Structures are given as C-alpha cells and as structure tokens.
Amino acid sequence: MVDILVIGEHTRGLLDSTTKELLGAAQRLDGKIGVAILTDEVLDKSAEESIALGADEVFVIQDPMLKRSAVEAHVTALEQLCNHINPNSILLGKTIVGSDLGPRLAFRLDTGMAQDCIGVSQISSSSEIVATRPVYGGNALATIAFAGNGPHVVVIRNGTYAPPGNNADNIGRVTLFKAQLDPAELKVRQLQTVEKPRTGIRLEEARAIVCGGRGLGGPEPFEQLSELATLLRGAVGASRAACDAGWIDHIYQIGLTGKTVAPDLYLAIGVSGASQHMAGCTGSKNIVAINSDAAANIFHEARFGVVGDWRKILTSFIETVRELNEQHN
Ligand code: FAD
C-alpha cells in the first residue's frame, strides 16, 4: 500500500507537467508513492511514465463515466480508492481539475485540506505533514498543520517542485481498481469539447514569460511582447488591468484571480507589481522589470530592473536577444 497518493492528470495519453512536479514533491516526503490515473479510455502511457518518475504503485481506474469533465464520478472513484488504500497524504495540482477535486475529496473523506500550497513537508519522525501557502494576496506565508488523522489533502501550485529524473529501469506496480459508479450521480453532462487552437507554449509550462501591464498603453505593444517571448522560447502574460482593458484575452491573466506561474524568467513590462498580481508570479526564479516609475512596487520584487519608458528600451532589448540567439545557434 502507499503513503502518499498523487492524483494524476494526463492529456492525450501522457502525464501533464503538474503531475510530474507532484511526483517531485512526493519524493521529498517519506513513504511509498502511489499515483491514481482515472480515465474513460484504455490505459495509456501515463502509468508507465509515473513509474519511470518514481511511483511505487499506479492505480488505474478505467470507466466510461470517468470523462475529464465528470467531477462527481472522479470524486466517487477517488473516495473509494482512498478508503481502500488509506494513504497518509493526497497531493493534487492547482489546475482546474485539482482545485475542484481537492475540496470535494477532502469533504467526502471528512478530512482537512490546504489549497494553493507552495510547499509540503513532513514533521520529523512522524508521518504528519505541514503545508505552506501564501495568504493576504501573497504578502505573508501561512504554515498549515492538519488536525486528526489523514489522509490530508494538499493542492500544490504548479512550478513549485521540479519533476524527478526519468528512469526507465524503475520498478513499480500497476493495479487496476474497479470503482462502483452510478450514472444517476452525474449532475453535469458534457455535450461537446471545443479545444481552443493552441499557439506556442502554455503559460503554465513556459520557462520564460513576458508580461505586459497597463503601462503598455494599448493592445498593439503585445505584438512586440509576443516577438520577444518567441525569441526567449516563452509565452506572453498580462496583468488584470491589461486584460480588463480588452487589450488581451483573460486567459493570459496572471495573478490572484488569474494563472499562477513560476518560470525561470518573468519579464514585467509596464506592470506596477500590485500584490494581487504578484500572488501569481512570486514563485518566478528571476523577475526583471521595466517601469518608468522608480517607486513602483515591482522593483521590490525584481532581481533586475530598468527605470524608464519601455518604448525606448524594448526594441533594443529585443535586438540584443536576437543577436545573442544567433550567436548561440
Ligand atoms: P497599473 O497599476 O496601472 O500599473 C501600470 C504601471 O505601468 C505603473 O507602474 C506605471 O509606472 C507603468 N508605466 C506606465 N507607463 C509606462 C511606460 N511608458 N513605460 C514603462 N512603464 C510604464 N491584478 C492582476 O494583475 N492579476 C490578478 O489576478 C488580479 N486579481 C485581483 C483580485 C482582486 C480581488 C483585486 C481587488 C484586484 C486584482 N488585481 C489583479 C488588480 C490589481 O490590484 C492591480 O490593479 C493590477 O494588477 C494593476 O495592473 P497593472 O500593473 O498593469 O496597472
């Protein structure tokens, strides 16, 4: 049986990066690691991948009712699995699926849950865990301890942990678990899936993000930001003010009410650095800011910064990156 259960997410037969990161988090805790893979299709490569990334056991729950959108069926299947294997802790990613499943699963298991965590660790010499999460818009960190017995549910932000190394020689077990699901339980019926055409790298997976704020003054500069993002092999993001102004779609919004990212490089251009914005990007390894106001909050968070008008800086910055790229190719 396993001590830590990672709730896996997968797309087109492969593990999502968030699940790989959760396996990185699980390896820092003591105990056997399990991964739950729920699918409405035949078993794909994600079980194999999980073992190569350090899972001791993969529980595959296959049922036509387990469509990605059928959250009620997922909760019931996971509740049955958890009651069967009784893990100490359950890790989910802060994705649309994980943020929805986590509280529902904790409720069903009558246990505690910590949402939006940036760390999970074990209290020494015990199986109890504590989680760390930003509070007050990212201005403080809270340490969450759990009352009572587990399993304790922890939802972890993407980008918090590095995925473990992949080792095809790892040995693990794949167990098929049959869940008892009742179609009457499904309150939501999925009629159709429409995939938004994907251009470039997903914001959550980008190692470099070029983020534009209200200081850009309009939608057109986002084309320049996109050019720079392409040169950096990254993605474009935006502050809520830029999205609210209609300059760019809200799917690019970073912050408390947008996406949470943790790239190696976060380039903030014309972004003031309000706490609600920083709540979505403080996990970035290097924040670089261009802002005309030397007193802007973003400079408190930035590792490097340029005080000035982005219009006078960005073109030569892009040219320099292009030249450096050419030198290295
Ligand atoms: P501003 O605060 O207007 O800053 C623009 C910056 O551009 C300024 O610092 C200015 O000096 C600089 N600038 C202007 N002209 C130039 C120039 N030519 N060259 C260089 N710099 C220039 N915000 C988010 O981003 N994400 C969220 O998820 C989010 N959630 C929120 C949730 C709640 C409940 C609330 C209350 C607010 C939320 N906000 C969020 C809004 C947040 O408080 C800020 O209003 C917002 O982040 C400001 O965006 P901004 O930095 O682009 O704009």
Side-chain angles (χ1 to χ4, degrees):
M1 284 299 160
V2 303
D3 303 289
I4 309 136
L5 181 67
V6 169
I7 309 303
E9 289 185 47
H10 49 109
T11 312
R12 292 188 197 90
L14 296 172
L15 277 189
D16 290 353
S17 59
T18 322
T19 304
K20 296 180 184 174
E21 292 168 14
L22 291 179
L23 279 158
Q27 286 193 349
R28 289 165 173 244
L29 304 173
D30 283 341
K32 293 227 176 277
I33 303 170
V35 175
I37 302 283
L38 281 66
T39 176
D40 62 333
E41 295 165 347
V42 285
L43 179 57
D44 51 33
K45 287 239 176 275
S46 39
E48 224 173 274
E49 269 189 292
S50 304
I51 292 169
L53 291 168
D56 296 289
E57 186 161 3
V58 180
F59 300 93
V60 176
I61 315 180
Q62 193 271 327
D63 191 289
M65 278 174 62
L66 289 171
K67 297 208 178 310
R68 204 177 165 103
S69 61
V71 65
E72 295 99 347
H74 281 72
V75 176
T76 300
L78 287 171
E79 179 190 6
Q80 291 172 10
L81 175 68
C82 291
N83 284 334
H84 181 65
I85 63 173
N86 203 18
N88 291 329
S89 36
I90 300 172
L91 307 184
L92 299 100
K94 193 198 166 194
T95 59
I96 292 173
V97 173
S99 306
D100 194 3
L101 267 180
R104 290 171 186 254
L105 185 58
F107 175 77
R108 292 275 191 95
L109 298 172
D110 193 20
T111 184
M113 190 208 71
Q115 184 72 273
D116 189 23
C117 297
I118 55 164
V120 58
S121 56
Q122 210 138 13
I123 298 175
S124 54
S125 74
S126 94
S127 60
E128 278 180 52
I129 56 166
V130 286
T132 312
R133 63 178 301 249
V135 288
Y136 304 121
N139 286 312
L141 291 178
T143 303
I144 315 284
F146 296 88
N149 293 325
H152 303 304
V153 180
V154 182
V155 179
I156 299 181
R157 274 190 191 189
N158 54 302
T160 303
Y161 288 93
N166 200 317
N167 184 352
D169 295 333
N170 280 355
I171 295 172
R173 210 161 78 166
V174 177
T175 303
L176 300 179
F177 182 82
K178 182 80 194 125
Q180 303 303 319
L181 301 173
D182 177 4
E185 201 186 0
L186 298 186
K187 298 187 182 65
V188 175
R189 195 158 54 92
Q190 183 181 349
L191 300 178
Q192 195 189 3
T193 306
V194 182
E195 277 199 31
K196 199 173 167 103
R198 197 167 135 180
T199 47
I201 300 167
R202 277 181 68 213
L203 202 47
E204 297 90 329
E205 289 174 8
R207 298 322 313 157
I209 290 176
V210 185
C211 177
R214 184 153 39 202
L216 291 183
E220 298 81 14
F222 275 98
E223 280 174 31
Q224 247 183 308
L225 265 55
S226 175
E227 188 187 347
L228 179 56
T230 306
L231 284 171
L232 294 168
R233 292 181 198 82
V236 168
S239 72
R240 178 157 142 184
C243 298
D244 284 351
W247 300 343
I248 185 165
D249 195 281
H250 272 99
I251 57 165
Y252 296 96
Q253 184 184 318
I254 289 162
L256 193 63
T257 44
K259 292 193 168 135
T260 306
V261 296
D264 294 333
L265 171 66
Y266 190 80
L267 187 52
I269 304 173
V271 174
S272 60
S275 64
Q276 295 89 353
H277 181 79
M278 299 317 295
C281 62
T282 36
S284 306
K285 314 277 178 303
N286 296 288
I287 296 178
V288 178
I290 302 176
N291 196 303
S292 51
D293 177 7
N297 187 56
I298 191 77
F299 289 122
H300 294 296
E301 310 277 348
R303 187 167 176 146
F304 302 102
V306 183
V307 178
D309 187 337
W310 65 267
R311 293 180 197 87
K312 297 187 182 141
I313 300 159
L314 197 58
T315 310
S316 55
F317 189 87
I318 291 175
E319 276 323 302
T320 307
V321 174
R322 198 189 307 281
E323 278 167 27
L324 287 169
N325 267 3
E326 282 165 6
Q327 281 169 26
H328 287 92
N329 286 336

